[in-house]
Amino acid sequence: MTSISRVAIDVGGTFTDVVELSPATGEIRFGKVPTTPAQPTAGVLDAFGTTRAPMAQVGMFTHGTTLGLNALLTRTGARTAVVGTAGFRDVYLLGRTDRRTNYDITYRPPPALLERYDTFEVPERSLFDGSVHRPLDEAAAREVAATIAGRGYDSVAVAFLHSYANPAHELRMREILAEVAPQVAVTVSHELSREYREYERTSTAVLDAYVKPIVRRYLERLEGDLAAGGFAGRFLMTRSGGGAMTASSAREQPVSLILSGPAGGVIGAGAFGALIDRPNLITIDMGGTSLDASLVIDGEPVLHQGAEFEQLPINTPSLYIHTIGAGGGSIAWLDGAGALQVGPQSAGADPGPASYGKGGTQPTFTDAALAVGYMGTAAALGGRLTLDDRLAIGALEPLADKLGLTPLELTRGIIRISTTKIMGAVRAITVEVGRDPKDFVLLSFGGGGGLVAVDVAHELNIPTVIVPPGQGAFSAFGMLFADVQHDFARTAVMPLAELDSPAVAASYAEMAAEAATALGAEGFGLSQRVLTRSVDVRYAGQEHTVTVPLSDDAAGVEREFTELHERQYGHTMDDPIEITTLRLRATGQVGKPALPRLAHRESGVAEPEGSRDVYVSAEQPAVPYALYTREALLAGDEIAGPAVIHEHTATTVIHAGDRLRVGDHGEMTITVRADS
């Protein structure tokens, strides 16, 4: 049967979002179903149940999940061991021995993923140039493998000294583990990172091993369920670095999936920003559990050559995403001093906010938004979930009584605190790194983004907010634009003047050959492949580097480095410049969806379908906000605030003085009121 549809599904902490694209017509449909934490694949299959095309007619399925991230957050990953070079057993647990908070006597580092009991060492030693100083002691390696098997570990990370330069010992250790402990999943560090910095590479391997058995089981079960449903198309997973990877690659390198869900929204932001000619964006993605803030600069999402999870480094490329616990399900509570707090605890998908009627009793941001009048009870969220305002008020009352407030006064406090936290997240990726928020457009999406976006923009003097079509499932929408990517790197510390040396050319040729093998195995022809070269550059003796596109000569790299260094660090120096790492990104290009244009209204104006009273303050307890249905709006329509625009998967709120105009692709561009 002919494949006629593309589907993207993003599994969040509370909801699972689905987007279906019909390439023949350009029609895009958005949907939302509850996430099923106890049975992760069930929510994905439920999402497929909302699509028009049966699985057999889906040609490409792109998927993002927080499964690995949740395992790390809750410390429910696999029982993991780590094997290192003799004398370096404690690399992982010692880390960098730095202190992030010098003056906080109550500071405690996040708990490690394993104990010293779980660390092992094997006699072997390679040097930084790849030469073997001490051969692998295979007898000792077999003893360690036997101990790992006997103790019942689920997974093991192998990270030998300087294996980035010579991986032979890691490869042999994997073979020995496969012989002696075949039931144990194995991660070898050089396959994730061919870069120096032993601790960062070891940490990356441990994180990968910690989630590997869980992700493998999930993907194997999901692939089986999809096959049983008749799916025979290409199955991709979004990765933290902003691209996608095949499901088979994801099973082997699940550390690349840790930020796969949030990455979809950033990919979509970059693509949609290019479509509407908005190259510089601040994005906020407010879901049910958390909020993710990121940047798109000159049309490209900001990429870091490394990330962190609770101070544990992940030495793989990652989009710059700042996450806080501020979602629709964030719980309002009182701290030890009796002050009101919101989050990071979340009611999640089960039981969810009290207004869901699924047994939740604690007040959440969603309950406050419903009680204050931003959200309503008439239209079902995602066509499935109808909110109950009586349950929301009932959950808010006990907390309000403790504070001596009315429930509606409490709702304003909850919304204000959430807005302030989101402002902090935006400031962290702009003001704190030398960027002015007013130089950007705020692109808001996620199920809760439209409820707070205008308030955040007003407080930070951001003049324009854009709400894209299908905002509640926009992360899934962004996944439709994700190309398959592979990242390769080689450590090569040398003066910049040696950039054109035969050694550099040989390293790039080796990486290009690996890229050709990987993309070829995934079915990408030569015309679908793009190779992008870059280098990490620094001043000699410095710790931090800047990643620079590779020019034809050293002079071009130096010019680019000088400009980027001044932009990122505020200064330049006369010191010698050196290269530390050679990088190659291999992209397998997938077809990009062409978004349909919205029809223009031939006559008249958009008329509200009614109004709803919104509690603004004690002095303004019932301000009428005009009600609109987004699906009924056409290109060119203009709305003056105050107004509430509800849609299938989300709600957008604008206030007095704000003005909204619908664009050609259905985007809502909001001009935020300016204080006089």
Side-chain angles (χ1 to χ4, degrees):
M1 187 174 291
T2 303
S3 297
I4 62 169
S5 182
R6 288 175 58 179
V7 172
I9 295 176
D10 174 28
V11 179
T14 303
F15 286 104
T16 293
D17 300 326
V18 56
V19 174
E20 182 182 15
L21 167 71
S22 297
T25 64
E27 182 183 5
I28 296 177
R29 292 178 292 275
F30 298 91
K32 189 180 287 283
V33 299
T35 294
T36 54
Q39 295 179 303
T41 60
V44 178
L45 299 178
D46 289 344
F48 263 107
T50 68
T51 62
R52 291 185 185 176
M55 285 188 191
Q57 296 182 35
V58 175
M60 182 179 294
F61 167 43
T62 309
H63 182 32
T65 178
T66 56
L67 186 69
L69 177 62
N70 290 341
L72 291 168
L73 288 169
T74 57
R75 294 300 195 271
T76 54
R79 187 182 176 205
T80 304
V82 59
V83 180
T85 301
F88 294 84
R89 175 183 176 186
D90 296 310
V91 162
Y92 175 70
L93 293 177
L94 285 175
R96 286 295 173 199
T97 68
D98 58 345
R99 185 179 178 89
R100 301 294 179 91
T101 53
N102 290 330
Y103 305 107
D104 182 1
I105 62 173
T106 66
Y107 170 77
R108 295 293 182 273
L113 300 179
L114 49 84
E115 304 294 335
R116 193 169 192 270
Y117 175 81
D118 306 313
T119 64
F120 301 88
E121 58 186 2
V122 173
E124 68 85 37
R125 183 73 178 270
S126 295
L127 302 182
F128 73 94
D129 59 1
S131 61
V132 176
H133 178 70
R134 183 178 186 180
L136 176 70
D137 186 333
E138 295 201 5
R142 289 183 178 277
E143 289 181 10
V144 167
T147 302
I148 289 172
R151 291 186 185 177
Y153 288 100
D154 302 308
S155 193
V156 59
V158 180
F160 288 151
L161 198 66
H162 298 305
S163 62
Y164 63 87
N166 183 351
H169 290 173
E170 284 193 354
L171 292 171
R172 181 55 185 149
M173 187 70 210
R174 178 165 62 186
E175 292 174 352
I176 291 171
L177 284 162
E179 296 170 8
V180 180
Q183 76 283 3
V184 179
V186 180
T187 293
V188 290
S189 71
H190 76 274
E191 291 185 345
L192 301 173
S193 173
R194 291 292 294 269
E195 301 179 45
Y196 72 138
R197 292 192 171 95
E198 225 63 35
Y199 166 59
E200 285 77 3
R201 188 159 46 81
T202 302
S203 173
T204 305
V206 170
L207 285 161
D208 186 81
Y210 190 73
V211 301
K212 181 173 283 184
I214 295 170
V215 173
R216 272 185 176 175
R217 287 193 297 269
Y218 170 76
L219 290 178
E220 288 169 356
R221 179 172 180 178
L222 181 56
E223 287 176 305
D225 291 339
L226 294 175
F231 176 75
R234 175 176 280 169
F235 180 9
L236 301 178
M237 300 288 296
T238 52
R239 57 189 298 167
S240 304
M245 61 198 308
T246 63
S248 57
S249 296
R251 288 198 302 268
E252 299 306 313
Q253 297 185 4
V255 72
S256 298
L257 303 178
I258 288 176
L259 294 176
S260 72
V266 185
I267 298 168
F272 194 74
L275 182 69
I276 61 174
D277 195 25
R278 298 282 190 169
N280 297 309
L281 302 169
I282 297 168
T283 74
I284 57 170
D285 175 7
M286 186 176 184
T289 304
S290 60
L291 178 135
D292 304 303
S294 65
L295 288 178
V296 176
I297 299 176
D298 296 332
E300 294 292 334
V302 175
L303 185 72
H304 282 182
Q305 296 299 340
E308 279 192 354
F309 168 79
E310 292 187 349
Q311 301 181 23
L312 300 175
I314 307 172
N315 206 25
T316 58
S318 177
L319 293 176
Y320 182 33
I321 298 174
H322 185 76
T323 301
I324 62 172
S330 292
I331 295 170
W333 55 285
L334 300 182
D335 62 20
L340 179 64
Q341 303 289 343
V342 183
Q345 305 92 335
S346 173
D350 186 13
S355 53
Y356 285 8
K358 296 167 60 178
T361 58
Q362 294 178 291
T364 67
F365 175 88
T366 294
D367 299 316
L370 176 63
V372 83
Y374 284 177
M375 304 173 73
T377 59
L381 280 174
R384 292 168 173 252
L385 180 63
T386 300
L387 303 181
D388 189 323
D389 54 356
R390 293 171 300 174
L391 293 176
I393 292 292
L396 291 161
E397 282 177 340
L399 189 58
D401 290 342
K402 291 181 181 179
L403 292 169
L405 303 173
T406 68
L408 290 180
E409 288 173 332
L410 175 63
T411 62
R412 296 309 317 180
I414 292 172
I415 292 171
R416 178 62 182 169
I417 289 171
S418 296
T419 301
T420 301
K421 291 179 66 173
I422 297 167
M423 288 165 50
V426 172
R427 289 177 61 87
I429 63 172
T430 54
V431 176
E432 293 180 13
V433 293
R435 299 188 183 277
D436 192 336
K438 75 175 188 301
D439 295 333
F440 293 81
V441 167
L442 181 65
L443 187 77
S444 166
F445 51 92
L451 299 171
V452 298
V454 167
D455 288 336
V456 171
H458 182 262
E459 294 294 334
L460 293 174
N461 295 318
I462 301 173
T464 305
V465 172
I466 293 179
V467 182
Q471 61 167 319
F474 189 75
S475 286
F477 167 80
M479 294 173 187
L480 296 174
F481 293 86
D483 291 318
V484 171
Q485 290 180 351
H486 295 273
D487 291 289
F488 303 90
R490 296 290 187 274
T491 290
V493 181
M494 64 179 70
L496 178 59
E498 297 179 14
L499 181 62
D500 59 352
S501 67
V504 171
S507 292
Y508 274 116
E510 180 183 338
M511 289 188 283
E514 292 180 18
T517 300
L519 292 176
E522 293 168 346
F524 291 97
L526 292 176
S527 63
Q528 298 170 295
R529 304 176 192 175
V530 176
L531 303 184
T532 306
R533 300 187 299 172
S534 60
V535 287
D536 286 2
V537 188
R538 69 184 180 188
Y539 289 113
Q542 297 296 304
E543 170 67 13
H544 299 290
T545 62
V546 173
T547 301
V548 177
L550 186 60
S551 304
D552 293 333
D553 56 20
V557 172
E558 182 174 357
R559 285 193 300 271
E560 186 77 13
F561 166 71
T562 301
E563 179 181 334
L564 288 174
H565 194 279
E566 183 165 19
R567 185 187 305 171
Q568 292 188 20
Y569 298 108
H571 69 280
T572 60
M573 299 190 296
D574 295 326
D575 293 26
I577 299 173
E578 64 183 10
I579 295 170
T580 64
T581 308
L582 310 176
R583 300 190 183 277
L584 184 140
R585 166 162 285 190
T587 301
Q589 295 180 319
V590 302
K592 304 299 187 298
L595 301 186
R597 288 180 175 270
L598 200 64
H600 279 256
R601 191 176 301 279
E602 295 183 1
S603 63
V605 296
E607 295 290 347
E609 59 192 50
S611 67
R612 181 188 299 146
D613 288 342
V614 171
Y615 180 88
V616 174
S617 66
E619 294 74 26
Q620 296 178 290
V623 177
Y625 274 52
L627 288 180
Y628 295 84
T629 298
R630 185 171 188 179
E631 287 81 1
L633 299 178
L634 298 178
D637 283 348
E638 296 188 2
I639 297 172
V644 172
I645 302 93
H646 65 82
E647 58 187 285
H648 185 57
T649 59
T651 299
T652 301
V653 177
I654 63 174
H655 305 297
D658 303 327
R659 298 193 65 86
L660 180 154
R661 188 177 192 280
V662 181
D664 289 341
H665 295 281
E667 73 278 9
M668 297 190 301
T669 300
I670 303 166
T671 302
V672 180
R673 74 189 188 280
D675 289 334
S676 57

